[in-house]
Amino acid sequence: LSGTRIIYDRKFLLECKNSPVARTPPCCLPQIPGVTSPAQPSLVKLGELKEQNESEETLPGEQPGPYIP
């Protein structure tokens, strides 16, 4: 392969971290809760309720099965 390799030094990269451009998300980014936008509390609560229901379904003295998301 041919081409120019661009090498950035540590100081430059640390300065870029505080740039307003670095803090603005791209305009066409899809909204994925917990990935590109903050996690929605309702989704988190649904997961907790599901785990709670699964743990209540196991009989006393019975080992719960492996967790499968």
Side-chain angles (χ1 to χ4, degrees):
L1 295 176
S2 63
T4 305
R5 178 179 242 174
I6 300 172
I7 300 173
Y8 298 103
D9 65 343
R10 184 177 188 275
K11 181 183 175 199
F12 174 76
L13 292 174
L14 288 172
E15 289 172 359
C16 288
K17 177 177 75 169
N18 298 323
S19 167
V21 175
R23 296 182 178 269
T24 306
C27 63
C28 300
L29 208 59
Q31 295 297 317
I32 305 170
V35 179
T36 58
S37 63
Q40 295 176 350
S42 60
L43 293 177
V44 173
K45 289 193 175 206
L46 284 175
E48 291 173 359
L49 288 173
K50 181 179 177 184
E51 289 176 10
Q52 182 181 4
N53 288 341
E54 289 174 354
S55 66
E56 289 175 356
E57 289 176 1
T58 60
L59 297 173
E62 183 182 345
Q63 285 288 79
Y67 174 71
I68 302 173

